[in-house]
Amino acid sequence: MAYENIIFDVTDGVATITFNRPKALNAINGQLLDELASALDEIEADEQVRVLVLTGAGEKSFVAGADISELATFNTLQGKLFSRKGQLIFSRLQDLAIPVIAAVNGFALGGGSEIALASDFIYAAETATFGLPEITLGIIPGFGGTQRLARLIGINRAKEMIFTGAMVPAPEAEKIGLVNRVFPKDKLMEETYKTAKGIAKKGKVSLREAKKSVNNGMNVEIGIGFQIEADAFGICMASPDAKEGTGAFLEKRKAEFKGSLLG
């Protein structure tokens, strides 16, 4: 489809979705959510895509929350439906078979932080700012923030951020485990793509099974988690990439992973 609120690109196995409403600081509205869902459809249909990078257009913002002009018109039912729509799309992002990196280049507020939280990990510019300021509008995070943030940084820190609506600069976000790494702003995308391209050279099946094992094992008893891991390990062993990887090691050469998700 033709995109108006995002820019979608695929290069060398790395897909990039750039949130592109710079005049509104890339704020989320219903149309942007629809376009994000369509881009995820394209990624799921393209086996050549190995990694997804998310970032924001312009100098100031990754995603500065929901579009308040749209939000202010909602009644109870519309608010619930909008929340569920965002939750379902961000859950698709979290469950995507490939790794997802959020490259946060500026404000990641409200829904922007929630998009980043649904990614596999977060790189941030040193000028980036995170926060869930919904409480200052008389509402709460509605796209999964109350659930994912506590699981990532702990319940007490999550409550503090949500109850106060405080802004958290990138260096502090790194200290509390919200952000993986912080870079100078002019180095953010270079470093993000360096990591993304390195991941894209790994085996498709092993990447998928590693992500599934971690995600599916997070909220189950550890014995069940071990079984999830063992099942995934077995699937990996059946893939051409496992034969290539082990063969390359024994032959003292660099592995070239070309296997398919289909075998």
Side-chain angles (χ1 to χ4, degrees), residues 109-133:
L109 306 178
S113 279
E114 289 171 304
I115 289 172
L117 287 167
S119 304
D120 291 305
F121 54 88
I122 303 169
Y123 284 177
E126 59 190 3
T127 54
T129 304
F130 297 81
L132 294 171

Side-chain angles (χ1 to χ4, degrees), residues 40-54:
L40 295 180
D41 288 340
E42 289 196 48
I43 290 167
E44 288 175 334
D46 186 353
E47 196 183 318
Q48 298 310 307
V49 177
R50 304 283 190 103
V51 183
L52 170 61
V53 171
L54 304 172

Side-chain angles (χ1 to χ4, degrees), residues 71-92:
L71 204 63
T73 68
F74 291 163
N75 60 29
T76 300
L77 179 58
Q78 289 170 321
K80 181 175 180 178
L81 292 175
F82 186 64
S83 174
R84 286 298 292 150
K85 181 176 184 177
Q87 288 173 353
L88 291 170
I89 293 171
F90 290 6
S91 291
R92 283 190 61 197

Side-chain angles (χ1 to χ4, degrees), residues 7-241:
I7 300 168
F8 180 59
D9 174 73
V10 179
T11 303
D12 297 329
V14 178
T16 303
I17 294 175
T18 304
F19 302 107
N20 188 36
R21 301 185 69 219
K23 291 182 179 179
L25 297 179
N26 305 323
I28 299 168
N29 59 12
Q31 187 176 355
L32 185 147
L33 286 176
D34 290 337
E35 292 183 16
L36 175 57
S38 293
L40 295 180
D41 288 340
E42 289 196 48
I43 290 167
E44 288 175 334
D46 186 353
E47 196 183 318
Q48 298 310 307
V49 177
R50 304 283 190 103
V51 183
L52 170 61
V53 171
L54 304 172
T55 195
E59 294 297 315
K60 294 182 178 180
S61 184
F62 174 71
V63 172
D67 190 326
I68 306 302
S69 63
E70 182 177 78
L71 204 63
T73 68
F74 291 163
N75 60 29
T76 300
L77 179 58
Q78 289 170 321
K80 181 175 180 178
L81 292 175
F82 186 64
S83 174
R84 286 298 292 150
K85 181 176 184 177
Q87 288 173 353
L88 291 170
I89 293 171
F90 290 6
S91 291
R92 283 190 61 197
L93 187 66
Q94 180 174 315
D95 295 337
L96 207 62
I98 61 174
V100 180
I101 307 172
V104 177
N105 56 307
F107 293 117
L109 306 178
S113 279
E114 289 171 304
I115 289 172
L117 287 167
S119 304
D120 291 305
F121 54 88
I122 303 169
Y123 284 177
E126 59 190 3
T127 54
T129 304
F130 297 81
L132 294 171
E134 288 88 347
I135 202 78
T136 65
L137 301 174
I139 57 177
I140 68 169
F143 291 161
T146 64
Q147 305 305 304
R148 290 192 177 95
L149 185 63
R151 286 167 168 78
L152 182 62
I153 67 172
I155 190 168
N156 288 358
R157 287 190 185 276
K159 285 178 179 178
E160 182 181 27
M161 283 184 64
I162 293 167
F163 295 174
T164 65
M167 306 295 180
V168 179
E172 183 180 346
E174 184 180 27
K175 288 180 182 177
I176 65 175
L178 175 57
V179 167
N180 288 68
R181 298 181 67 186
V182 174
F183 299 99
K185 189 167 186 177
D186 62 351
K187 295 291 185 182
L188 173 64
M189 297 313 296
E190 176 187 339
E191 294 294 336
T192 299
Y193 283 122
K194 184 186 297 183
T195 296
K197 289 175 182 178
I199 292 172
K201 294 177 182 178
K202 306 298 190 293
K204 295 177 186 176
V205 173
S206 56
L207 282 174
R208 180 182 66 177
E209 295 303 318
K211 179 169 178 174
K212 281 173 56 180
S213 293
V214 174
N215 284 357
N216 294 344
M218 274 294 293
N219 298 305
V220 299
E221 188 272 327
I222 194 168
I224 297 173
F226 288 153
Q227 187 59 57
I228 290 170
E229 181 181 84
D231 290 343
F233 187 87
I235 290 171
C236 288
M237 291 307 302
S239 73
D241 283 336

